[in-house]
Amino acid sequence: MSDVPRNDAAVRKDGDTPEREELRVPVRGGELAVSRWPAGDPAAPVALALHGITANGLSWARVAHHLAGRMTLVAPDLRGRGRSGRVPGPYGITAHADDMAAVVDELGLGQIVLTGHSMGAFTAALTAVRYPHLATALLLVDGGVGFPVPAGLDPDELLTAVIGPAMRRLSATFPDREAYRAFWRRHPAFADCWSPWVDAYVQRDLVGEEPELRSACSLEAVRVDGVDQFRAEVSGAVRRLPRPAVLLWAERGLMDEPQGLYDERRLAAAGLEPERVRPRLVTGTNHYTILVGDEGARVVAQHLLDAAADPGADGRVDMSSR
């Protein structure tokens, strides 16, 4: 079954996105930078949104745009990334899950809709398992479901096989911000979805001074977290969820290739319990545009709203108006 965005008049137009707030939240070893887009109504539901392995919290900005103030969206820069880049280890998915519990507690978020993209989906699943009281609903976005690790690959080879050029970017330097923008605009997955939201997201990743700007991502954090996703406790969290989840999966892959991370065959082989995880294909998206592209972000936002309104619903977007 697939999801495509509907022409929903309730989704507001440009200019209605709440102004983003930036907060600092103490965690073990330092402080996380946290972006928050507040709802118009203080009593509105809250989503805690976790980014991918080399991303940052602004990867969720387009989703916040489509939420349009109907729900508060809280998106941390995970330790070792973005403006949390200097928060030291220990890294690992368990450390991120514990950090997320601290964010919920420190900001007084109460019960939340918990969501994550890519590595963030694995973190969201483990957070839900370790802290079952935190979330009323769970939305996984092109991640959270693992597969057997090929034999004979060392950690760096394994990471390169999964995330490819993203790993090489972490060791590169760039003479100025325009060069970094050009790097991303050439990326096949971003070629057709460039926007002010994407630009702000990639620019947040840069630290240092010209002519030697570099990614804020800690290479150690990426290595540790990347390998940790394949650990049984993490990859198996999706099978121990305390409540049902929806998995939105992209049609295409990290380089916009036809083979995505998931397909019907791979999901069937994963042996997911249908009453625990309900997969939904988001057509016309790749691993990145399912979150940062306009149509993908619209679908994600609608699922978050649906999950908040009825945590027991399957979250499927109505396709009748498309």
Side-chain angles (χ1 to χ4, degrees):
M1 187 174 294
S2 66
D3 283 334
V4 294
R6 62 186 177 186
N7 182 15
D8 189 347
V11 176
R12 303 179 206 174
K13 303 300 182 183
D14 289 355
D16 290 314
T17 306
E19 185 174 351
R20 183 179 67 89
E21 304 168 347
E22 181 134 352
L23 312 172
R24 306 293 299 186
V25 174
V27 293
R28 182 177 55 175
E31 292 183 326
L32 295 186
V34 178
S35 292
R36 177 170 64 184
W37 293 267
D41 180 358
V46 177
L48 178 63
L50 314 182
H51 63 71
I53 192 166
T54 66
N56 60 68
L58 285 194
S59 62
W60 290 89
R62 198 68 181 268
V63 174
H65 165 71
H66 283 299
L67 288 173
R70 293 171 290 170
M71 186 178 198
T72 292
L73 184 67
V74 176
D77 290 356
L78 301 179
R79 67 170 63 220
R81 282 82 169 177
R83 295 186 183 172
S84 306
R86 293 187 176 181
V87 181
Y91 303 110
I93 308 303
T94 298
H96 294 311
D98 293 345
D99 285 348
M100 294 309 99
V103 168
V104 172
D105 182 63
E106 182 70 22
L107 296 182
L109 300 182
Q111 287 194 310
I112 55 169
V113 175
L114 184 57
T115 186
H117 171 245
S118 195
M119 184 198 79
F122 287 92
T123 305
L126 188 63
T127 302
V129 169
R130 288 176 62 83
Y131 300 95
H133 64 286
L134 290 185
T136 60
L138 184 63
L139 178 66
L140 309 175
V141 183
D142 218 39
V145 179
F147 303 102
V149 178
L153 291 182
D154 68 30
D156 280 348
E157 289 174 330
L158 181 60
L159 290 179
T160 299
V162 175
I163 63 175
M167 278 292 286
R168 294 191 290 273
R169 182 187 95 242
L170 304 186
S171 300
T173 59
F174 300 86
D176 53 39
R177 290 185 172 273
E178 185 55 41
Y180 197 54
R181 180 178 292 114
F183 169 88
W184 280 108
R185 296 198 74 160
R186 291 192 300 269
H187 192 295
F190 287 81
D192 296 326
C193 79
W194 201 259
S195 70
W197 293 274
V198 172
D199 192 66
Y201 151 55
V202 302
Q203 293 293 329
R204 185 177 178 88
D205 182 49
L206 281 181
V207 293
E209 300 291 336
E210 297 180 0
E212 293 189 347
L213 296 170
R214 58 178 177 80
S215 169
C217 291
S218 160
L219 188 56
E220 179 191 0
V222 171
R223 283 175 170 154
V224 171
D225 294 349
V227 173
D228 204 38
Q229 290 177 93
F230 296 94
R231 189 165 53 88
E233 181 188 3
V234 175
S235 63
V238 72
R239 295 173 174 82
R240 306 190 307 276
L241 298 175
R243 54 189 45 80
V246 172
L247 166 65
L248 300 179
W249 55 279
E251 187 173 25
R252 301 175 70 85
L254 280 77
M255 299 296 289
D256 199 44
E257 69 273 28
Q259 177 62 62
L261 290 181
Y262 304 109
D263 57 26
E264 298 284 359
R265 179 183 57 82
R266 290 180 175 181
L267 289 170
L272 300 174
E273 299 176 27
E275 66 277 9
R276 192 180 299 272
V277 181
R278 296 179 290 269
R280 304 288 182 230
L281 167 64
V282 185
T283 58
T285 63
N286 63 46
H287 179 69
Y288 294 101
T289 61
I290 194 174
L291 187 68
V292 304
D294 184 59
E295 294 194 347
R298 186 189 298 272
V299 170
V300 172
Q302 188 60 55
H303 275 271
L304 290 173
L305 292 167
D306 290 348
D310 184 1
D314 74 359
R316 181 164 55 89
V317 175
D318 179 10
M319 297 165 55
S320 62
S321 63
R322 179 72 174 178

